[in-house]
Amino acid sequence: MTSGIRDSALDALRDLVGRGDADFHDGQYEAIEALVAGRRRALVVQRTGWGKSAVYFVATLLLRRQGAGPTVLVSPLLALMRDQIAAAERAGVRAVAINSTNAHEWDDVLAQLDRDEVDVLLVSPERLNNPAFREQRLPTLVRRIGMLVVDEAHCISDWGHDFRPDYRRLRDLIGQLPAEVPVLATTATANSRVVADVAEQLGGTDAEVLTIRGPLARSSLRLGVLQLPNAASRLAWLLSHLDDLPGSGIIYALTVAAAVDTARMLRERGHDVRAYTGQTDAEEREESEGMLKRNEVKALIATSALGMGFDKPDLGFVVHLGAPSSPVAYYQQVGRAGRASENADVLLLPGVEDKDIWHYFATASMPDRERAERVIAALGDVPISTPALEALVDIRRTPLELLLKVLDVDGAVRRVQGGWVATGAGWTYDAERYERIAGERRAEQQHMIEYQQTDGCRMEFLQRSLDDATAAPCGRCDNCAGAWFPTGIGADAGAAASDALDRVGVPIEPRKQWPTGADRLGVPVKGRIDAEHQAAEGRALARLTDLGWGGPLREIFAAGAADAPVPPQVLAACVRVLAGWGWAERPVAVVGMPSRSRPRLVDSLARGIAEIGKLPYLGELGFANGGPSGAPGGNSAFRVAGLWDRFSAEGLEVPEGPVLLVDDIADSRWSLTVAARTLRQAGASAVLPFVLGLRG
């Protein structure tokens, strides 16, 4: 029987790859046999490009021929789903997806499932907890399922809990499956800790779960690290040498702003590149993926939104502008390159700001005890929608949604038709667990710094960081064979990069709607903000995440930084923003926002602008009724309630013309919105907000 399975599996593999002479890589058939003949639970940890998808597609075909039901493939990213469906079609596997972009096709997909015309159903981990899917479709699927596949299984682990909390509930799904249903988990990025964690989630111990682990070295990759002093020099290096890099590739940035700004700068200098971030429209992302695969662009300038599963076998290079926070993440991203080619270049250009960015993302994702308890207390037996809950608990939408997912996985709340309810189950903040996660992240960040500083083989370092026992010198990286990359920067490129980073001015879109729920908090408004009370479009010098002026602003607003007058060079940059504003009517006066945290900064900025612009400075708005309550940012309804009727224009001779309203930083924009309403009521025909920094 084993011989017959191997022959059938080999035929299916050759159909999949389109080559009659194809054969299994080490471990591929072992995994297929375990799933098909042994109906086992298996974890495959193999380098990118090894052929993990071949294992589950071939196993699916063989199981279906034995009368098994469809395979359910839990897949984390839309780009990955698209590639998996295309690969399935080549092997004669009928694959369909249910995800956030194809809701119009769901009825057809479900009808195909009912007719048993689907071999593989691809779903996102979030879909498994959609109330309608979970209650109406999942029980039937569980009864009929032929195999469960969890792709990018490292997301089950604590290492990835904040990327996809829903992965952690897969253990519950696995627990519902009959014992004879095989389960496969696959990943290219797992150290020993993650392997043990994933094995536990699969429902057993390391001994009970078959782990097939291969060497992670990638002989096609030529690794290097180039230390440059600042963002301008990194961009100048790209301008000087992007065309020298082989083929087409990916340039990774750590933030959305950095990706967008870098793409714009390179395009302006004649390079054919596109930005690709989590904020890019879904259709544009799909179009960009196709253009890169067809070599119609030199590079995509991407955040981590372009990562797992993107498949371009001949990708020629991966460059990082700033280091990811761990060798695991770095290996995941550089693994996009050189899958089916003998050579691919991988270069890291670390930045001095990397540690700050790592810290921000690490702390932003961790559940907060007080917030969690507030959410649980606000929920009961009657479903509450996320927008309505947002107005009750004073937590902004994105962190609230993440917190709800974590609490859902922990069993404290449950998503149902119409919103969220409390389960009544006891919930305790697992401080020990979260401190362990934080400690592991700090250790991984330190490993990434050590990767940059090592004088040993870089591929060997990555392998050891991933607990690969086969780690050995590669003979190709910059430490093994000498620097393979140019280090010089052209004078023109340096000037162009400096000019690009010196660009100033970011629009501040005015708020036009009062937040839902504000009226329930005692604020007598709802719906659209009256036109005669609205602020006009404003300007910020820069975003705090910008590559250029973001750096100086981050120093000004750093925790513990002293309140001080605005630096002369920053004031000069602000004047350039004002000079290029292009307003319909020049402001006739300047008003400062009252500030408790940085009064010297705001006062000096407002006075400096007024003096240079030869405009009267009317002074600051006053505080009324004790001044604003609550912290900046936060939930919109609570923020407006804490600001309502807390500003006063009494004592200011507000003219009828446009007034420039000056503040230090904008986050939710509600302070500017409510203050603008106060000035409009005092007689200003328009209010033009201006701030130094814009968050986000």
Side-chain angles (χ1 to χ4, degrees):
M1 177 179 176
T2 300
S3 175
I5 291 178
R6 182 178 177 87
D7 291 343
S8 298
L10 188 58
D11 289 341
L13 175 72
R14 289 170 175 173
D15 288 339
L16 177 68
V17 301
R19 283 180 35 227
D21 62 344
D23 206 344
F24 293 111
H25 296 148
D26 288 344
Q28 279 184 318
Y29 178 69
E30 182 185 359
I32 293 168
E33 183 183 35
L35 296 167
V36 177
R39 304 298 175 99
R40 295 190 62 180
R41 297 185 175 182
L43 169 62
V44 171
V45 184
Q46 295 282 0
R47 65 182 180 274
T48 302
W50 172 84
K52 295 181 286 293
S53 62
V55 171
Y56 50 73
F57 284 139
V58 170
T60 292
L61 282 174
L62 300 186
L63 288 166
R64 291 288 280 165
R65 291 171 188 170
Q66 295 177 6
T71 290
V72 173
L73 171 55
V74 180
S75 185
L77 297 175
L78 296 180
L80 180 53
M81 285 189 181
R82 289 191 284 268
D83 284 342
Q84 287 164 327
I85 290 174
E89 290 175 352
R90 293 195 296 270
V93 177
R94 299 169 296 179
V96 295
I98 291 180
N99 58 50
S100 59
T101 68
N102 70 341
H104 59 289
E105 300 174 359
W106 291 357
D107 288 342
D108 291 340
V109 169
L110 295 173
Q112 288 175 272
L113 280 168
D114 290 340
R115 296 192 300 267
D116 199 27
E117 296 173 355
V118 173
D119 298 318
V120 177
L121 174 66
L122 293 91
V123 298
S124 67
E126 289 86 352
R127 183 57 39 196
L128 296 174
N129 198 42
N130 173 272
F133 186 87
R134 184 186 65 217
E135 295 164 12
Q136 300 170 20
R137 292 291 170 178
L138 192 56
T140 302
L141 268 179
V142 168
R143 288 194 297 270
R144 293 183 53 221
I145 191 170
M147 179 170 64
L148 176 66
V149 178
V150 182
D151 207 4
E152 306 298 349
H154 58 275
C155 295
I156 292 176
S157 164
D158 282 340
W159 177 84
H161 88 281
D162 55 334
F163 171 64
R164 284 286 167 87
D166 299 88
Y167 262 91
R168 289 177 51 220
R169 67 164 55 85
L170 284 169
R171 182 175 185 173
D172 297 332
L173 172 60
I174 292 169
Q176 299 175 37
L177 297 178
E180 66 272 12
V181 173
V183 179
L184 171 67
T186 68
T187 183
T189 48
N191 53 24
S192 295
R193 176 183 59 78
V194 175
V195 168
D197 194 8
V198 172
E200 181 184 355
Q201 302 303 319
L202 291 183
T205 65
D206 290 0
E208 295 167 335
V209 175
L210 174 65
T211 299
I212 299 174
R213 181 165 194 162
L216 298 180
R218 294 284 303 280
S219 60
S220 62
L221 300 185
R222 185 167 61 163
L223 303 176
V225 175
L226 176 58
Q227 300 277 359
L228 294 169
N230 50 41
S233 58
R234 296 197 297 275
L235 293 180
W237 188 93
L238 272 182
L239 283 173
S240 300
H241 302 294
L242 178 57
D243 288 338
D244 299 331
L245 294 169
S248 56
I250 301 172
I251 299 170
Y252 280 108
L254 296 186
T255 67
V256 170
V260 171
D261 289 349
T262 300
R264 181 186 64 215
M265 181 203 69
L266 290 172
R267 281 197 307 270
E268 290 174 349
R269 299 290 291 183
H271 294 283
D272 199 356
V273 301
R274 300 185 106 191
Y276 186 113
T277 76
Q279 296 181 13
T280 306
D281 180 78
E283 289 76 15
E284 183 179 341
R285 273 186 281 171
E286 185 173 0
E287 180 184 40
S288 294
E289 292 166 22
M291 294 178 72
L292 181 59
K293 290 178 180 179
R294 296 187 298 270
N295 296 315
E296 294 172 0
V297 292
K298 181 66 177 178
L300 296 185
I301 318 301
T303 62
S304 58
L306 181 65
M308 291 182 292
F310 176 76
D311 187 13
K312 176 177 166 57
D314 63 339
L315 194 76
F317 64 88
V318 170
V319 173
H320 278 80
L321 294 177
S325 60
S326 74
V328 174
Y330 188 60
Y331 181 87
Q332 176 72 247
Q333 292 175 355
V334 302
R336 303 301 103 210
R339 292 184 169 195
S341 60
E342 294 183 0
N343 298 289
D345 289 343
V346 172
L347 184 63
L348 171 61
L349 306 175
V352 294
E353 70 278 7
D354 294 350
K355 291 181 184 178
D356 292 337
I357 296 172
W358 298 344
H359 177 74
Y360 170 79
F361 284 118
T363 55
S365 63
M366 285 292 186
D368 175 87
R369 182 202 302 264
E370 187 274 331
R371 285 185 166 195
E373 292 173 344
R374 203 187 316 159
V375 168
I376 294 171
L379 293 172
D381 298 332
V382 178
I384 299 177
S385 68
T386 305
L389 183 61
E390 184 183 11
L392 294 174
V393 297
D394 192 14
I395 304 173
R396 297 173 79 171
R397 181 71 56 86
T398 298
L400 175 59
E401 289 174 340
L402 177 59
L403 180 56
L404 284 167
K405 284 186 177 184
V406 172
L407 292 174
D408 188 2
V409 173
D410 287 347
V413 306
R414 183 171 175 82
R415 187 182 175 198
V416 298
Q417 293 287 355
W420 295 89
V421 296
T423 64
W427 181 83
T428 303
Y429 181 78
D430 194 345
E432 181 180 350
R433 173 170 172 257
Y434 289 120
E435 178 51 39
R436 172 174 55 81
I437 296 171
E440 289 163 354
R441 288 182 171 173
R442 288 191 295 270
E444 290 173 342
Q445 291 170 7
Q446 182 59 35
H447 286 168
M448 202 62 219
I449 293 172
E450 292 168 0
Y451 171 79
Q452 300 168 31
Q453 298 172 345
T454 183
D455 57 3
C457 173
R458 297 198 192 276
M459 181 59 75
E460 182 181 19
F461 185 98
L462 290 178
Q463 288 180 267
R464 292 191 185 283
S465 295
L466 294 170
D467 298 314
D468 181 356
T470 69
C474 69
R476 292 171 56 86
C477 71
D478 55 345
N479 285 341
C480 285
W484 50 264
F485 43 83
T487 58
I489 294 173
D492 290 346
S498 296
D499 288 346
L501 292 178
D502 197 36
R503 184 172 304 191
V504 295
V506 179
I508 302 174
E509 294 296 324
R511 292 280 193 177
K512 295 184 178 180
Q513 294 279 137
W514 294 114
T516 302
D519 56 322
R520 295 196 291 271
L521 296 174
V523 181
V525 291
K526 63 191 313 184
R528 187 171 179 82
I529 300 174
D530 293 340
E532 62 270 20
H533 291 164
Q534 286 183 21
E537 182 182 81
R539 290 291 186 275
L541 170 58
R543 301 179 186 86
L544 264 64
T545 54
D546 284 351
L547 292 175
W549 282 98
L553 293 183
R554 287 193 296 271
E555 293 181 9
I556 290 174
F557 296 110
D563 178 33
V566 61
Q569 69 274 20
V570 174
L571 178 59
C574 292
V575 172
R576 287 196 285 130
V577 176
L578 299 171
W581 194 320
W583 39 51
E585 185 179 353
R586 190 175 190 270
V588 297
V590 177
V591 172
M593 283 284 285
S595 174
R596 288 170 171 157
S597 60
R598 299 181 187 87
R600 296 182 67 196
L601 177 66
V602 175
D603 181 70
S604 64
L605 176 62
R607 290 182 184 276
I609 288 173
E611 181 179 353
I612 294 172
K614 295 182 170 52
L615 296 171
Y617 177 55
L618 306 184
E620 293 181 347
L621 283 172
F623 284 138
N625 301 316
S629 61
N635 168 269
S636 289
F638 277 84
R639 185 62 182 146
V640 169
L643 293 165
W644 193 254
D645 286 340
R646 304 299 177 95
F647 295 117
S648 170
E650 186 176 350
L652 301 182
E653 297 182 6
V654 179
E656 293 184 4
V659 171
L660 190 70
L661 177 61
V662 176
D663 202 359
D664 55 353
I665 196 166
D667 188 351
S668 67
R669 292 167 288 148
W670 284 119
S671 293
L672 295 172
T673 301
V674 175
R677 176 180 178 271
T678 300
L679 286 170
R680 295 291 302 273
Q681 289 178 320
S685 63
V687 175
L688 304 164
F690 177 80
V691 301
L692 285 178
L694 186 64
R695 293 192 191 275

